[in-house]
Amino acid sequence: MSETTINDTTVKKRHRLSVKWKWALGSAVGVFLIFLAFSILLFKGMSGVLLQQERTHVNNTVDTVISRVDNLQGHFNSDSVSDALQPSLSQPSGSISDNANIYQNSLITDLSRDSTGVTVYNAKKRNCFQIA
């Protein structure tokens, strides 16, 4: 009789989870996995879009700088490159003109971003112009 009592108490101590708790844990794990998958997909998608936008911006900036310094025909010095890449407002201040609007200058808008830096070197690999 004592042997049966020990087996009964051992069976009683082995407490299994009820169906309610199994469903709750299963649902929690399922929701977590769906959230994790959604977060990973969202991160991958957004980082791809942002990377593509940065590549486009860099390509546009390089094209704009090349078109501005192309007229120098390889004779780069700091004055000629600065004149080509920095705006000059010949209009008197206070006048309203499309030429005087610095924000319509494509080079200024390309170089005004904090993450953009441009360095121009001459044929002797010396720094002629730098915007950091």
Side-chain angles (χ1 to χ4, degrees):
M1 187 121 169
S2 66
E3 204 172 297
T4 308
T5 309
I6 293 174
N7 287 339
D8 289 340
T9 57
T10 307
V11 172
K12 288 181 184 178
K13 286 184 181 180
R14 234 189 283 169
H15 181 65
R16 293 188 174 213
L17 292 175
S18 67
V19 174
K20 176 176 71 171
W21 281 104
K22 287 180 184 179
W23 274 103
L25 289 175
S27 298
V29 168
V31 168
F32 176 74
L33 290 176
I34 291 171
F35 175 75
L36 183 65
F38 181 73
S39 298
I40 290 171
L41 290 173
L42 186 64
F43 176 77
K44 293 275 189 184
M46 290 301 294
S47 62
V49 167
L50 291 175
L51 185 61
Q52 184 60 36
Q53 285 178 349
E54 285 299 317
R55 283 183 182 149
T56 302
H57 171 70
V58 168
N59 288 335
N60 289 342
T61 302
V62 168
D63 291 342
T64 303
V65 169
I66 287 173
S67 69
R68 293 287 180 103
V69 297
D70 196 31
N71 295 334
L72 300 176
Q73 299 175 353
H75 302 292
F76 296 152
N77 59 36
S78 70
D79 292 333
S80 64
V81 174
S82 292
D83 289 342
L85 295 180
Q86 291 182 346
S88 62
L89 298 176
S90 58
Q91 301 284 334
S93 64
S95 68
I96 300 173
S97 171
D98 288 339
N99 295 332
N101 190 353
I102 197 167
Y103 297 108
Q104 290 181 351
N105 188 336
S106 64
L107 182 67
I108 298 302
T109 56
D110 286 342
L111 296 179
S112 65
R113 294 181 63 176
D114 290 339
S115 62
T116 303
V118 174
T119 304
V120 178
Y121 295 96
N122 62 9
K124 296 178 182 178
K125 297 181 182 179
R126 292 191 183 153
N127 188 348
C128 293
F129 182 80
Q130 182 172 5
I131 295 177

PDB file of all heavy atoms in Angstrom, residues 78-110:
ATOM      1  N   SER A  78      43.154  75.804 -57.523  1.00  0.00           N
ATOM      2  CA  SER A  78      42.122  76.046 -56.511  1.00  0.00           C
ATOM      3  C   SER A  78      41.197  77.197 -56.899  1.00  0.00           C
ATOM      4  O   SER A  78      40.005  77.149 -56.615  1.00  0.00           O
ATOM      5  CB  SER A  78      42.753  76.283 -55.143  1.00  0.00           C
ATOM      6  OG  SER A  78      43.422  77.514 -55.104  1.00  0.00           O
ATOM      7  N   ASP A  79      41.710  78.218 -57.562  1.00  0.00           N
ATOM      8  CA  ASP A  79      40.856  79.351 -57.936  1.00  0.00           C
ATOM      9  C   ASP A  79      39.861  78.968 -59.029  1.00  0.00           C
ATOM     10  O   ASP A  79      38.675  79.308 -58.947  1.00  0.00           O
ATOM     11  CB  ASP A  79      41.715  80.532 -58.416  1.00  0.00           C
ATOM     12  CG  ASP A  79      42.525  81.143 -57.292  1.00  0.00           C
ATOM     13  OD1 ASP A  79      42.077  81.047 -56.121  1.00  0.00           O
ATOM     14  OD2 ASP A  79      43.592  81.708 -57.578  1.00  0.00           O
ATOM     15  N   SER A  80      40.329  78.257 -60.054  1.00  0.00           N
ATOM     16  CA  SER A  80      39.426  77.919 -61.155  1.00  0.00           C
ATOM     17  C   SER A  80      38.352  76.921 -60.715  1.00  0.00           C
ATOM     18  O   SER A  80      37.199  77.034 -61.112  1.00  0.00           O
ATOM     19  CB  SER A  80      40.215  77.359 -62.342  1.00  0.00           C
ATOM     20  OG  SER A  80      40.842  76.146 -61.993  1.00  0.00           O
ATOM     21  N   VAL A  81      38.725  75.958 -59.886  1.00  0.00           N
ATOM     22  CA  VAL A  81      37.744  74.983 -59.403  1.00  0.00           C
ATOM     23  C   VAL A  81      36.762  75.655 -58.449  1.00  0.00           C
ATOM     24  O   VAL A  81      35.559  75.381 -58.494  1.00  0.00           O
ATOM     25  CB  VAL A  81      38.449  73.774 -58.749  1.00  0.00           C
ATOM     26  CG1 VAL A  81      37.440  72.837 -58.123  1.00  0.00           C
ATOM     27  CG2 VAL A  81      39.289  73.031 -59.770  1.00  0.00           C
ATOM     28  N   SER A  82      37.255  76.547 -57.587  1.00  0.00           N
ATOM     29  CA  SER A  82      36.354  77.268 -56.682  1.00  0.00           C
ATOM     30  C   SER A  82      35.361  78.121 -57.458  1.00  0.00           C
ATOM     31  O   SER A  82      34.185  78.197 -57.098  1.00  0.00           O
ATOM     32  CB  SER A  82      37.153  78.162 -55.732  1.00  0.00           C
ATOM     33  OG  SER A  82      37.892  77.386 -54.842  1.00  0.00           O
ATOM     34  N   ASP A  83      35.830  78.770 -58.510  1.00  0.00           N
ATOM     35  CA  ASP A  83      34.923  79.578 -59.334  1.00  0.00           C
ATOM     36  C   ASP A  83      33.866  78.706 -60.006  1.00  0.00           C
ATOM     37  O   ASP A  83      32.714  79.106 -60.149  1.00  0.00           O
ATOM     38  CB  ASP A  83      35.702  80.345 -60.403  1.00  0.00           C
ATOM     39  CG  ASP A  83      36.532  81.473 -59.814  1.00  0.00           C
ATOM     40  OD1 ASP A  83      36.249  81.883 -58.660  1.00  0.00           O
ATOM     41  OD2 ASP A  83      37.460  81.928 -60.502  1.00  0.00           O
ATOM     42  N   ALA A  84      34.259  77.504 -60.411  1.00  0.00           N
ATOM     43  CA  ALA A  84      33.315  76.625 -61.105  1.00  0.00           C
ATOM     44  C   ALA A  84      32.305  75.998 -60.153  1.00  0.00           C
ATOM     45  O   ALA A  84      31.165  75.747 -60.531  1.00  0.00           O
ATOM     46  CB  ALA A  84      34.068  75.518 -61.845  1.00  0.00           C
ATOM     47  N   LEU A  85      32.718  75.738 -58.907  1.00  0.00           N
ATOM     48  CA  LEU A  85      31.854  75.000 -57.983  1.00  0.00           C
ATOM     49  C   LEU A  85      31.170  75.853 -56.919  1.00  0.00           C
ATOM     50  O   LEU A  85      30.298  75.348 -56.222  1.00  0.00           O
ATOM     51  CB  LEU A  85      32.656  73.887 -57.298  1.00  0.00           C
ATOM     52  CG  LEU A  85      33.160  72.782 -58.204  1.00  0.00           C
ATOM     53  CD1 LEU A  85      33.929  71.762 -57.403  1.00  0.00           C
ATOM     54  CD2 LEU A  85      32.026  72.128 -58.962  1.00  0.00           C
ATOM     55  N   GLN A  86      31.578  77.098 -56.778  1.00  0.00           N
ATOM     56  CA  GLN A  86      30.917  77.951 -55.784  1.00  0.00           C
ATOM     57  C   GLN A  86      30.093  79.004 -56.493  1.00  0.00           C
ATOM     58  O   GLN A  86      30.548  79.590 -57.480  1.00  0.00           O
ATOM     59  CB  GLN A  86      31.945  78.604 -54.859  1.00  0.00           C
ATOM     60  CG  GLN A  86      32.601  77.599 -53.946  1.00  0.00           C
ATOM     61  CD  GLN A  86      33.588  78.259 -53.001  1.00  0.00           C
ATOM     62  OE1 GLN A  86      33.979  79.391 -53.183  1.00  0.00           O
ATOM     63  NE2 GLN A  86      33.989  77.525 -51.990  1.00  0.00           N
ATOM     64  N   PRO A  87      28.902  79.263 -55.985  1.00  0.00           N
ATOM     65  CA  PRO A  87      28.022  80.221 -56.680  1.00  0.00           C
ATOM     66  C   PRO A  87      28.519  81.649 -56.510  1.00  0.00           C
ATOM     67  O   PRO A  87      29.154  81.998 -55.523  1.00  0.00           O
ATOM     68  CB  PRO A  87      26.684  80.027 -55.974  1.00  0.00           C
ATOM     69  CG  PRO A  87      27.068  79.611 -54.600  1.00  0.00           C
ATOM     70  CD  PRO A  87      28.302  78.760 -54.767  1.00  0.00           C
ATOM     71  N   SER A  88      28.265  82.440 -57.519  1.00  0.00           N
ATOM     72  CA  SER A  88      28.545  83.871 -57.414  1.00  0.00           C
ATOM     73  C   SER A  88      27.241  84.596 -57.677  1.00  0.00           C
ATOM     74  O   SER A  88      26.584  84.362 -58.689  1.00  0.00           O
ATOM     75  CB  SER A  88      29.616  84.296 -58.422  1.00  0.00           C
ATOM     76  OG  SER A  88      29.157  84.060 -59.724  1.00  0.00           O
ATOM     77  N   LEU A  89      26.873  85.422 -56.752  1.00  0.00           N
ATOM     78  CA  LEU A  89      25.629  86.175 -56.880  1.00  0.00           C
ATOM     79  C   LEU A  89      25.987  87.581 -57.347  1.00  0.00           C
ATOM     80  O   LEU A  89      26.385  88.423 -56.561  1.00  0.00           O
ATOM     81  CB  LEU A  89      24.873  86.207 -55.558  1.00  0.00           C
ATOM     82  CG  LEU A  89      24.434  84.835 -55.030  1.00  0.00           C
ATOM     83  CD1 LEU A  89      23.789  84.982 -53.671  1.00  0.00           C
ATOM     84  CD2 LEU A  89      23.482  84.185 -56.002  1.00  0.00           C
ATOM     85  N   SER A  90      25.902  87.801 -58.631  1.00  0.00           N
ATOM     86  CA  SER A  90      26.259  89.101 -59.189  1.00  0.00           C
ATOM     87  C   SER A  90      25.141  90.119 -59.020  1.00  0.00           C
ATOM     88  O   SER A  90      25.364  91.311 -59.188  1.00  0.00           O
ATOM     89  CB  SER A  90      26.625  88.959 -60.663  1.00  0.00           C
ATOM     90  OG  SER A  90      25.533  88.401 -61.365  1.00  0.00           O
ATOM     91  N   GLN A  91      23.945  89.677 -58.693  1.00  0.00           N
ATOM     92  CA  GLN A  91      22.819  90.580 -58.499  1.00  0.00           C
ATOM     93  C   GLN A  91      22.973  91.297 -57.166  1.00  0.00           C
ATOM     94  O   GLN A  91      23.459  90.724 -56.196  1.00  0.00           O
ATOM     95  CB  GLN A  91      21.510  89.784 -58.496  1.00  0.00           C
ATOM     96  CG  GLN A  91      21.228  88.999 -59.754  1.00  0.00           C
ATOM     97  CD  GLN A  91      20.754  89.897 -60.867  1.00  0.00           C
ATOM     98  OE1 GLN A  91      20.200  90.948 -60.603  1.00  0.00           O
ATOM     99  NE2 GLN A  91      20.976  89.487 -62.090  1.00  0.00           N
ATOM    100  N   PRO A  92      22.583  92.559 -57.077  1.00  0.00           N
ATOM    101  CA  PRO A  92      22.623  93.243 -55.781  1.00  0.00           C
ATOM    102  C   PRO A  92      21.656  92.600 -54.801  1.00  0.00           C
ATOM    103  O   PRO A  92      20.641  92.051 -55.193  1.00  0.00           O
ATOM    104  CB  PRO A  92      22.205  94.683 -56.103  1.00  0.00           C
ATOM    105  CG  PRO A  92      21.641  94.650 -57.477  1.00  0.00           C
ATOM    106  CD  PRO A  92      22.104  93.396 -58.147  1.00  0.00           C
ATOM    107  N   SER A  93      22.009  92.628 -53.534  1.00  0.00           N
ATOM    108  CA  SER A  93      21.156  91.981 -52.541  1.00  0.00           C
ATOM    109  C   SER A  93      19.822  92.689 -52.466  1.00  0.00           C
ATOM    110  O   SER A  93      19.755  93.907 -52.574  1.00  0.00           O
ATOM    111  CB  SER A  93      21.834  91.977 -51.176  1.00  0.00           C
ATOM    112  OG  SER A  93      22.002  93.301 -50.725  1.00  0.00           O
ATOM    113  N   GLY A  94      18.791  91.937 -52.282  1.00  0.00           N
ATOM    114  CA  GLY A  94      17.455  92.492 -52.202  1.00  0.00           C
ATOM    115  C   GLY A  94      16.706  92.403 -53.508  1.00  0.00           C
ATOM    116  O   GLY A  94      15.505  92.609 -53.544  1.00  0.00           O
ATOM    117  N   SER A  95      17.391  92.116 -54.605  1.00  0.00           N
ATOM    118  CA  SER A  95      16.677  92.001 -55.880  1.00  0.00           C
ATOM    119  C   SER A  95      16.056  90.622 -55.987  1.00  0.00           C
ATOM    120  O   SER A  95      16.581  89.645 -55.473  1.00  0.00           O
ATOM    121  CB  SER A  95      17.625  92.240 -57.059  1.00  0.00           C
ATOM    122  OG  SER A  95      18.547  91.184 -57.154  1.00  0.00           O
ATOM    123  N   ILE A  96      14.957  90.562 -56.661  1.00  0.00           N
ATOM    124  CA  ILE A  96      14.260  89.287 -56.831  1.00  0.00           C
ATOM    125  C   ILE A  96      14.534  88.818 -58.258  1.00  0.00           C
ATOM    126  O   ILE A  96      14.095  89.439 -59.219  1.00  0.00           O
ATOM    127  CB  ILE A  96      12.746  89.448 -56.592  1.00  0.00           C
ATOM    128  CG1 ILE A  96      12.520  89.945 -55.174  1.00  0.00           C
ATOM    129  CG2 ILE A  96      12.024  88.149 -56.847  1.00  0.00           C
ATOM    130  CD1 ILE A  96      11.090  90.290 -54.887  1.00  0.00           C
ATOM    131  N   SER A  97      15.284  87.728 -58.351  1.00  0.00           N
ATOM    132  CA  SER A  97      15.642  87.206 -59.664  1.00  0.00           C
ATOM    133  C   SER A  97      15.827  85.702 -59.548  1.00  0.00           C
ATOM    134  O   SER A  97      16.276  85.197 -58.531  1.00  0.00           O
ATOM    135  CB  SER A  97      16.932  87.853 -60.156  1.00  0.00           C
ATOM    136  OG  SER A  97      17.389  87.222 -61.323  1.00  0.00           O
ATOM    137  N   ASP A  98      15.494  84.984 -60.619  1.00  0.00           N
ATOM    138  CA  ASP A  98      15.713  83.542 -60.624  1.00  0.00           C
ATOM    139  C   ASP A  98      17.189  83.206 -60.574  1.00  0.00           C
ATOM    140  O   ASP A  98      17.585  82.191 -60.021  1.00  0.00           O
ATOM    141  CB  ASP A  98      15.086  82.904 -61.868  1.00  0.00           C
ATOM    142  CG  ASP A  98      13.575  82.896 -61.792  1.00  0.00           C
ATOM    143  OD1 ASP A  98      13.041  82.999 -60.669  1.00  0.00           O
ATOM    144  OD2 ASP A  98      12.931  82.791 -62.855  1.00  0.00           O
ATOM    145  N   ASN A  99      18.034  84.041 -61.159  1.00  0.00           N
ATOM    146  CA  ASN A  99      19.474  83.777 -61.158  1.00  0.00           C
ATOM    147  C   ASN A  99      20.066  83.955 -59.764  1.00  0.00           C
ATOM    148  O   ASN A  99      21.084  83.354 -59.442  1.00  0.00           O
ATOM    149  CB  ASN A  99      20.191  84.709 -62.133  1.00  0.00           C
ATOM    150  CG  ASN A  99      19.780  84.438 -63.567  1.00  0.00           C
ATOM    151  OD1 ASN A  99      19.407  83.323 -63.890  1.00  0.00           O
ATOM    152  ND2 ASN A  99      19.839  85.457 -64.406  1.00  0.00           N
ATOM    153  N   ALA A 100      19.485  84.787 -58.941  1.00  0.00           N
ATOM    154  CA  ALA A 100      20.022  85.063 -57.622  1.00  0.00           C
ATOM    155  C   ALA A 100      19.530  84.071 -56.570  1.00  0.00           C
ATOM    156  O   ALA A 100      20.020  84.085 -55.453  1.00  0.00           O
ATOM    157  CB  ALA A 100      19.659  86.485 -57.194  1.00  0.00           C
ATOM    158  N   ASN A 101      18.571  83.246 -56.915  1.00  0.00           N
ATOM    159  CA  ASN A 101      18.042  82.299 -55.946  1.00  0.00           C
ATOM    160  C   ASN A 101      19.011  81.134 -55.797  1.00  0.00           C
ATOM    161  O   ASN A 101      19.126  80.277 -56.674  1.00  0.00           O
ATOM    162  CB  ASN A 101      16.666  81.795 -56.383  1.00  0.00           C
ATOM    163  CG  ASN A 101      15.987  80.999 -55.285  1.00  0.00           C
ATOM    164  OD1 ASN A 101      16.584  80.706 -54.251  1.00  0.00           O
ATOM    165  ND2 ASN A 101      14.753  80.656 -55.521  1.00  0.00           N
ATOM    166  N   ILE A 102      19.705  81.108 -54.682  1.00  0.00           N
ATOM    167  CA  ILE A 102      20.756  80.118 -54.453  1.00  0.00           C
ATOM    168  C   ILE A 102      20.196  78.712 -54.325  1.00  0.00           C
ATOM    169  O   ILE A 102      20.878  77.731 -54.601  1.00  0.00           O
ATOM    170  CB  ILE A 102      21.575  80.513 -53.211  1.00  0.00           C
ATOM    171  CG1 ILE A 102      22.898  79.757 -53.192  1.00  0.00           C
ATOM    172  CG2 ILE A 102      20.802  80.281 -51.942  1.00  0.00           C
ATOM    173  CD1 ILE A 102      23.873  80.301 -52.193  1.00  0.00           C
ATOM    174  N   TYR A 103      18.925  78.570 -53.945  1.00  0.00           N
ATOM    175  CA  TYR A 103      18.336  77.251 -53.756  1.00  0.00           C
ATOM    176  C   TYR A 103      17.925  76.593 -55.069  1.00  0.00           C
ATOM    177  O   TYR A 103      17.603  75.423 -55.088  1.00  0.00           O
ATOM    178  CB  TYR A 103      17.140  77.337 -52.801  1.00  0.00           C
ATOM    179  CG  TYR A 103      17.560  77.803 -51.442  1.00  0.00           C
ATOM    180  CD1 TYR A 103      17.247  79.073 -50.995  1.00  0.00           C
ATOM    181  CD2 TYR A 103      18.302  76.974 -50.610  1.00  0.00           C
ATOM    182  CE1 TYR A 103      17.661  79.501 -49.747  1.00  0.00           C
ATOM    183  CE2 TYR A 103      18.717  77.396 -49.364  1.00  0.00           C
ATOM    184  CZ  TYR A 103      18.391  78.661 -48.937  1.00  0.00           C
ATOM    185  OH  TYR A 103      18.804  79.086 -47.713  1.00  0.00           O
ATOM    186  N   GLN A 104      17.939  77.339 -56.158  1.00  0.00           N
ATOM    187  CA  GLN A 104      17.651  76.760 -57.458  1.00  0.00           C
ATOM    188  C   GLN A 104      18.912  76.254 -58.137  1.00  0.00           C
ATOM    189  O   GLN A 104      18.851  75.616 -59.168  1.00  0.00           O
ATOM    190  CB  GLN A 104      16.945  77.773 -58.357  1.00  0.00           C
ATOM    191  CG  GLN A 104      15.540  78.058 -57.906  1.00  0.00           C
ATOM    192  CD  GLN A 104      14.846  79.038 -58.823  1.00  0.00           C
ATOM    193  OE1 GLN A 104      15.457  79.627 -59.700  1.00  0.00           O
ATOM    194  NE2 GLN A 104      13.557  79.225 -58.615  1.00  0.00           N
ATOM    195  N   ASN A 105      20.070  76.502 -57.546  1.00  0.00           N
ATOM    196  CA  ASN A 105      21.334  76.028 -58.080  1.00  0.00           C
ATOM    197  C   ASN A 105      21.474  74.550 -57.732  1.00  0.00           C
ATOM    198  O   ASN A 105      21.513  74.171 -56.564  1.00  0.00           O
ATOM    199  CB  ASN A 105      22.471  76.848 -57.469  1.00  0.00           C
ATOM    200  CG  ASN A 105      23.808  76.555 -58.116  1.00  0.00           C
ATOM    201  OD1 ASN A 105      24.012  75.493 -58.688  1.00  0.00           O
ATOM    202  ND2 ASN A 105      24.702  77.516 -58.015  1.00  0.00           N
ATOM    203  N   SER A 106      21.556  73.690 -58.754  1.00  0.00           N
ATOM    204  CA  SER A 106      21.583  72.249 -58.507  1.00  0.00           C
ATOM    205  C   SER A 106      22.821  71.813 -57.737  1.00  0.00           C
ATOM    206  O   SER A 106      22.764  70.898 -56.922  1.00  0.00           O
ATOM    207  CB  SER A 106      21.493  71.490 -59.827  1.00  0.00           C
ATOM    208  OG  SER A 106      22.630  71.763 -60.624  1.00  0.00           O
ATOM    209  N   LEU A 107      23.944  72.468 -57.959  1.00  0.00           N
ATOM    210  CA  LEU A 107      25.162  72.100 -57.247  1.00  0.00           C
ATOM    211  C   LEU A 107      25.057  72.423 -55.768  1.00  0.00           C
ATOM    212  O   LEU A 107      25.440  71.622 -54.912  1.00  0.00           O
ATOM    213  CB  LEU A 107      26.373  72.810 -57.853  1.00  0.00           C
ATOM    214  CG  LEU A 107      27.709  72.458 -57.213  1.00  0.00           C
ATOM    215  CD1 LEU A 107      28.040  71.002 -57.507  1.00  0.00           C
ATOM    216  CD2 LEU A 107      28.793  73.355 -57.712  1.00  0.00           C
ATOM    217  N   ILE A 108      24.494  73.572 -55.453  1.00  0.00           N
ATOM    218  CA  ILE A 108      24.345  73.960 -54.046  1.00  0.00           C
ATOM    219  C   ILE A 108      23.404  73.007 -53.324  1.00  0.00           C
ATOM    220  O   ILE A 108      23.679  72.575 -52.206  1.00  0.00           O
ATOM    221  CB  ILE A 108      23.840  75.413 -53.929  1.00  0.00           C
ATOM    222  CG1 ILE A 108      24.850  76.369 -54.545  1.00  0.00           C
ATOM    223  CG2 ILE A 108      23.562  75.787 -52.487  1.00  0.00           C
ATOM    224  CD1 ILE A 108      26.229  76.290 -53.941  1.00  0.00           C
ATOM    225  N   THR A 109      22.319  72.641 -53.960  1.00  0.00           N
ATOM    226  CA  THR A 109      21.392  71.719 -53.304  1.00  0.00           C
ATOM    227  C   THR A 109      22.013  70.336 -53.151  1.00  0.00           C
ATOM    228  O   THR A 109      21.753  69.649 -52.167  1.00  0.00           O
ATOM    229  CB  THR A 109      20.060  71.613 -54.076  1.00  0.00           C
ATOM    230  OG1 THR A 109      20.329  71.219 -55.409  1.00  0.00           O
ATOM    231  CG2 THR A 109      19.312  72.926 -54.046  1.00  0.00           C
ATOM    232  N   ASP A 110      22.853  69.912 -54.110  1.00  0.00           N
ATOM    233  CA  ASP A 110      23.511  68.616 -53.988  1.00  0.00           C
ATOM    234  C   ASP A 110      24.566  68.611 -52.900  1.00  0.00           C
ATOM    235  O   ASP A 110      24.724  67.635 -52.167  1.00  0.00           O
ATOM    236  CB  ASP A 110      24.159  68.205 -55.312  1.00  0.00           C
ATOM    237  CG  ASP A 110      23.151  67.773 -56.354  1.00  0.00           C
ATOM    238  OD1 ASP A 110      22.005  67.466 -55.969  1.00  0.00           O
ATOM    239  OD2 ASP A 110      23.506  67.740 -57.544  1.00  0.00           O
TER     240      ASP A 110
END
